[in-house]
Amino acid sequence: MEYLNQTSVQELGHQATVIAIKDGDLLAPVANFMKVRTVTWIAAAIPLVLLIYRLLIDRKLQSNFLVRRYHAWRYLFSGPQIIQDAFNKAGGKPFEVLAPDNRYVFVSSLKHIKELDSAPDTVLSLQAASKQMLQPVYTMTGFNWFDRRGTEGVGFVRALRTMLTANLPQILPDLSTIIRTRFEEIHETHPTVDGEKQSEVYHMIVQLVVLSNAVSFFGKDLAKNEQFMVSALAYIEHTLICAEVVRLVPKWLAPIIGGIIAKRLHAHEIIFNTLLPVAQQRIDEKALADLGQQADCIQWIMETSPRANPWNAKRIVHELMAIWFGSVHALSTTITFAIHDLCIHPEYVAPLRQEMEEGYADFEKTGLGLPLVDSFIKESARLTPVESMSTRRHALQPFELSDGTKVNVGDWACTPVRAIMTDPETYPSPNDFNGFRFADPSIVEEVVGGFKTPQEKPSKLTDVGSTFHVWGTGRMACPGRFYAAACMKVLMGQIIMNYDMKLINPEAPRMFTWRSSMLPRPKTKMVFTPRV
């Protein structure tokens, strides 16, 4: 709305100038504009001058202000550790963390988490938080979605949770073949050093996830479109760069900077222009008695859009672009860390390989099973989650927790997911990697034996609960998590069954942080040796 209001003012100013020229009085509008601008600058300068004056004469205020801004900017580079330290000091109570562009209020008790989850979307909004993170106006060809979820329908939830999940038995067999073949092709291009091919594993995994999702979401034809696939790969990085820059510049400068960056990063335009005619064709076919229906996300998003006001092709593509970013970024990071963990804990390779060789065919037919692989990925995600923050809710209205903690308009309420998942009250030996921590003890004993399962009861990677927030919490939990889990098992399966692996330098740092994210270092190298 702020940008729209600025535009309206500019239009009104232009109209006033035209009228003045017609009347032969060029000086009147100019003089009026100068007066308005002078008053505006004075009004804006008064609080700034008073703040500077107070900082100069009040050493305590000066110290507090500078310290708070220092910690806010430090958050960009040390977010996960700052959140962890604050969690440790809070003793289960809500606590705040500052960022340059925001104030975060973290809650960790079950009571407070439920309060966040039950708050109306008009008060605490996940959609508004996502909008601030991704800046879709600049990263998704002008997609300025509403702050409140469901304003235009939530059909995408059914498309991902129900339709995509139900089609896994049709998707997975082809996906396995495609991933195995593409892995071999990528691996063959990597340089040989001292007789071993060395692979930058994160780049490799991102390419495989992009291919997997393109086939699953858009079908094989689009997955063969080289320009589209290159752009689909670049889009993730472009979105992160553009959104971060826009979030950190002053609000009045964001439209200018965002517009400049968007014009220079073309991946989002290529994706949009490629998908738009496909979506329009599907809409036209549906109008002609449902001719040519396809089993992909384009079709499912279209079919689940509001019946009273069906989405047009542009709106469908915008929804697909938002889903695309989330699916590629989280999947790639989670799988890369899981592969790292396989190398760091090689004792798990044999039992996981045995499970794969015995149960992979049944998994392909159902999308279910492989409980040991499931537990291993979940344990990796527990210790190295993509995010140290979850359950993001942007306050559209003032909100107060039951203990009196206030969340002001514009603040975010959230949960410290990584801190919760390494809390010794919930997870015995929380900092120790236990790949079968979440598996059924009877299955572990039957397959391999000798491994501990310290949790009170087994759980699945896709489970959502008060102590595992990788997928979010409650009614807003990720609807695509069943596909994501299956896709991760396909990737892990093809690597485990067909390759031995090792990290070139196991002691080297393998991750870096930005804000609350933990990301694999792109230059981390591995050796994948084909099994005979």
Side-chain angles (χ1 to χ4, degrees):
M1 288 301 294
E2 180 181 349
Y3 178 66
L4 291 178
N5 289 340
Q6 291 172 351
T7 304
S8 301
V9 170
Q10 292 167 356
E11 290 174 352
L12 289 172
H14 173 70
Q15 292 171 3
T17 304
V18 172
I19 293 171
I21 291 173
K22 286 182 179 179
D23 291 343
D25 185 1
L26 289 172
L27 296 179
V30 175
N32 290 337
F33 173 76
M34 291 298 292
K35 289 179 182 177
V36 171
R37 187 176 67 171
T38 302
V39 172
T40 301
W41 274 105
I42 292 172
I46 289 173
L48 179 60
V49 171
L50 290 174
L51 175 60
I52 293 173
Y53 176 73
R54 288 195 66 193
L55 287 174
L56 290 174
I57 66 172
D58 190 332
R59 292 182 178 274
K60 184 177 181 181
L61 177 63
Q62 179 183 21
S63 176
N64 288 341
F65 176 81
L66 294 177
V67 167
R68 286 172 69 85
R69 295 317 298 165
Y70 165 74
H71 285 297
W73 282 95
R74 190 168 73 89
Y75 172 81
L76 296 179
F77 306 97
S78 305
Q81 190 59 52
I82 289 173
I83 295 170
Q84 182 68 56
D85 291 343
F87 172 83
N88 293 342
K89 293 177 182 177
K93 297 179 180 179
F95 59 91
E96 77 166 13
V97 170
L98 299 178
D101 58 335
N102 219 338
R103 172 180 178 257
Y104 304 123
V105 178
F106 285 89
V107 303
S108 58
S109 71
L110 179 59
K111 179 181 180 181
H112 289 151
I113 292 171
K114 287 182 176 179
E115 289 175 16
L116 296 192
D117 187 49
S118 60
D121 296 344
T122 53
V123 179
L124 297 181
S125 171
L126 169 62
Q127 185 128 327
S130 300
K131 182 178 178 180
Q132 185 177 343
M133 283 180 61
L134 300 182
Q135 297 292 324
V137 170
Y138 311 108
T139 63
M140 299 180 189
T141 60
F143 182 23
N144 193 16
W145 64 52
F146 290 93
D147 286 335
R148 183 185 174 191
R149 191 186 196 209
T151 303
E152 296 179 293
V154 289
F156 71 93
V157 173
R158 180 168 169 252
L160 296 178
R161 185 171 58 203
T162 303
M163 294 179 168
L164 180 58
T165 304
N167 276 271
L168 285 176
Q170 287 72 48
I171 294 172
L172 294 182
D174 285 344
L175 207 57
S176 296
T177 302
I178 291 169
I179 293 303
R180 181 170 61 252
T181 302
R182 185 59 182 149
F183 190 101
E184 293 172 359
E185 293 171 351
I186 296 172
H187 184 250
E188 189 61 31
T189 66
H190 292 164
T192 299
V193 180
D194 295 331
E196 297 178 319
K197 283 192 173 294
Q198 296 189 359
S199 305
E200 293 180 351
V201 62
Y202 180 61
H203 290 306
M204 197 175 191
I205 295 302
V206 170
Q207 292 180 64
L208 294 172
V209 170
V210 165
L211 178 59
S212 300
N213 288 355
V215 171
S216 303
F217 291 5
F218 310 132
K220 295 178 184 177
D221 290 339
L222 272 179
K224 296 175 183 176
N225 183 324
E226 184 175 350
Q227 185 186 36
F228 175 80
M229 292 300 293
V230 170
S231 297
L233 180 61
Y235 176 65
I236 307 305
E237 182 178 345
H238 289 186
T239 298
L240 289 170
I241 292 171
C242 184
E244 280 301 320
V245 172
V246 170
R247 290 177 68 181
L248 292 175
V249 300
K251 288 184 178 180
W252 63 269
L253 196 57
I256 299 171
I257 298 299
I260 292 172
I261 296 175
K263 288 179 180 178
R264 282 164 171 73
L265 302 178
H266 301 295
H268 63 118
E269 292 182 352
I270 293 172
I271 293 174
F272 180 83
N273 292 333
T274 303
L275 290 175
L276 187 63
V278 178
Q280 187 60 57
Q281 182 181 353
R282 299 288 181 86
I283 292 173
D284 295 341
E285 288 174 347
K286 184 178 181 180
L288 297 172
D290 294 324
L291 297 176
Q293 282 196 3
Q294 303 292 323
D296 57 32
C297 277
I298 302 174
Q299 190 75 26
W300 300 325
I301 293 292
M302 180 186 71
E303 291 177 358
T304 56
S305 69
R307 293 185 179 181
N309 186 24
W311 289 349
N312 59 25
K314 183 177 179 179
R315 182 64 182 81
I316 291 170
V317 173
H318 280 151
E319 196 71 26
L320 289 166
M321 292 175 73
I323 293 169
W324 179 260
F325 174 84
S327 64
V328 173
H329 176 58
L331 264 176
S332 302
T333 301
T334 303
I335 285 298
T336 300
F337 283 140
I339 293 171
H340 288 176
D341 285 326
L342 267 179
C343 298
I344 297 168
H345 306 281
E347 66 273 19
Y348 288 97
V349 173
L352 292 178
R353 185 171 283 160
Q354 179 182 339
E355 181 185 61
M356 286 287 188
E357 291 173 347
E358 294 176 355
Y360 192 82
D362 290 336
F363 160 72
E364 278 189 333
K365 296 175 183 177
T366 62
L368 304 173
L370 304 179
L372 299 185
V373 177
D374 188 280
S375 175
F376 188 92
I377 297 172
K378 184 170 184 177
E379 176 71 345
S380 179
R382 182 184 73 84
L383 288 172
T384 49
V386 180
E387 279 285 347
S388 298
M389 173 196 298
S390 186
T391 321
R392 295 175 175 86
R393 302 290 188 269
H394 180 107
L396 301 178
Q397 298 180 39
F399 180 78
E400 186 171 334
L401 293 164
S402 57
D403 71 340
T405 300
K406 290 179 171 57
V407 183
N408 303 318
V409 173
D411 292 349
W412 284 14
C414 39
T415 59
V417 54
R418 182 168 179 262
I420 289 173
M421 294 193 303
T422 53
D423 186 346
E425 292 187 9
T426 305
Y427 295 96
S429 303
N431 295 313
D432 294 342
F433 186 94
N434 190 319
F436 298 152
R437 177 185 295 270
F438 302 103
D440 187 323
S442 62
I443 295 176
V444 175
E445 189 63 32
E446 179 184 347
V447 173
V448 60
F451 286 90
K452 297 179 180 179
T453 54
Q455 296 306 118
E456 290 185 7
K457 59 180 181 179
S459 61
K460 296 178 181 178
L461 174 59
T462 53
D463 287 349
V464 175
S466 60
T467 59
F468 189 79
H469 296 177
V470 166
W471 307 109
T473 52
R475 59 196 175 93
M476 298 290 189
C478 174
R481 63 188 183 275
F482 303 101
Y483 163 78
C487 186
M488 286 190 274
K489 290 177 184 178
V490 169
L491 285 160
M492 290 285 285
Q494 293 307 314
I495 293 171
I496 291 171
M497 290 190 292
N498 297 298
Y499 295 88
D500 293 318
M501 67 208 80
K502 66 178 182 179
L503 282 164
I504 298 294
N505 186 357
E507 303 301 321
R510 58 191 181 95
M511 67 185 73
F512 69 98
T513 65
W514 178 256
R515 289 187 183 264
S516 57
S517 297
M518 300 174 63
L519 303 168
R521 288 182 178 269
K523 295 297 183 181
T524 299
K525 293 183 179 180
M526 289 181 57
V527 171
F528 294 97
T529 305
R531 296 180 67 210
V532 179

